[in-house]
Amino acid sequence: MAIYVVMLGAPGAGKGTQAQLLSQQSDLPHISSGDIFRENLKKKTELGVLASEYMNKGELVPDDVTIAMIKERLTRKDCQNGAVLDGFPRTVAQAKALDDMLAEIDGKVDVVPYIKVEPEILIERLTGRWTCREHGHIFHEKYNPPKEPGICDIDGSELYQREDDKEETVRNRIQVYMEQTAPLIDYYQAAGVLKMIEGDQEIDQVTKDLMAVIPLND
Ligand code: AMP
């Protein structure tokens, strides 16, 4: 049976870091909507240029564009055993669209780990974050520093600070999260799939707590 995991949490809660680790340990592909937009922007595709207008302000890319992009991604062969979704869905409309697209392939959202972190911590987490240019691996100057400053431990590529990790944009992203994405906590709670994970712990401990709620096939 395929397993679909939706990582939920505010920007800076650690969803991306944990989604990468979960993907490595489970062999499920890591699908980050933000990474797909950034790759498109790097290649200067129409989608990337459109998305960047929203991303740079910390706003959400419109639902129709985002839903179509994820739908296409989920039909690729590497998703036949499921996927770890990170950053999608971000609105109730996206969550409903995801339920519909999975129903078409006899799947469903199996588990939604919600990584909970107090809002005060998020700003420090995001403004100190460094991201790898090649594959989006995530580091933090204080909490998860790379062995060599400015270089990704995993693939040796350059680390950079995302344009939208600047403080003013970060504040808007958190606001947008509270208004548009936080309602998904109730949505998935009602569906019986939400699992709360304490996010204000060492990265390894968060990973352990996360792995404990994922129903992996052995
Ligand atoms: P992330 O890398 O998940 O923090 O996403 C970076 C930015 O990409 C967000 O601030 C949005 O502008 C855009 N984005 C990513 N995922 C979505 C989504 N599911 N819906 C709308 N916009 C998104």
Side-chain angles (χ1 to χ4, degrees):
M1 276 294 279
I3 297 174
Y4 295 92
V5 181
V6 168
M7 303 293 291
L8 200 59
K15 322 186 271 318
T17 301
Q18 296 298 334
Q20 285 171 359
L21 293 165
L22 172 58
S23 168
Q24 284 161 16
Q25 295 188 28
S26 64
D27 265 348
L28 296 172
H30 171 209
I31 299 182
S32 155
S33 41
D35 282 354
I36 302 177
F37 287 135
R38 281 183 288 278
E39 275 157 29
N40 272 276
L41 181 60
K42 207 155 72 174
K43 293 186 197 141
K44 299 205 168 55
T45 69
E46 209 176 309
L47 173 67
V49 174
L50 172 90
S52 71
E53 288 170 25
Y54 297 91
M55 293 167 82
N56 292 342
K57 291 185 270 184
E59 306 284 340
L60 295 187
V61 179
D63 280 342
D64 54 346
V65 176
T66 309
I67 290 166
M69 176 184 86
I70 292 293
K71 193 165 183 179
E72 186 281 319
R73 179 67 188 85
L74 282 174
T75 56
R76 293 201 206 156
K77 201 157 175 275
D78 63 337
C79 294
Q80 62 191 11
N81 294 325
V84 179
L85 288 163
D86 161 21
F88 181 93
R90 255 181 163 94
T91 62
V92 171
Q94 291 181 12
K96 289 185 173 156
L98 177 63
D99 287 343
D100 292 346
M101 52 179 114
L102 293 180
E104 276 177 33
I105 51 170
D106 283 335
K108 62 177 173 32
V109 172
D110 293 288
V111 57
V112 180
Y114 162 47
I115 306 188
K116 191 167 189 288
V117 168
E118 292 308 319
E120 312 82 76
I121 301 176
L122 300 172
I123 293 179
E124 195 198 1
R125 292 245 191 121
L126 289 167
T127 53
R129 178 158 83 172
W130 289 81
T131 303
C132 122
R133 191 121 7 230
E134 210 50 50
H135 297 106
H137 297 123
I138 302 163
F139 298 86
H140 189 279
E141 55 195 26
K142 191 158 140 200
Y143 302 114
N144 180 26
K147 293 195 184 82
E148 223 181 299
I151 309 273
C152 176
D153 288 359
I154 300 162
D155 60 32
S157 77
E158 181 201 8
L159 299 179
Y160 75 108
Q161 281 197 296
R162 275 170 47 174
E163 190 60 31
D164 61 346
D165 280 347
K166 305 224 162 92
E167 185 159 343
E168 204 186 298
T169 318
V170 160
R171 286 186 190 280
N172 195 35
R173 285 166 64 201
I174 294 170
Q175 180 74 22
V176 166
Y177 166 81
M178 297 294 182
E179 288 168 11
Q180 302 199 54
T181 309
L184 294 181
I185 300 168
D186 285 347
Y187 182 89
Y188 286 121
Q189 180 89 54
V193 288
L194 194 87
K195 302 282 178 192
M196 220 274 274
I197 311 270
E198 174 52 59
D200 188 13
Q201 312 183 77
E202 294 288 326
I203 291 176
D204 288 355
Q205 188 57 48
V206 178
T207 310
K208 279 189 193 134
D209 293 355
L210 171 64
M211 293 309 292
V213 303
I214 306 294
L216 289 177
N217 301 321
D218 300 305

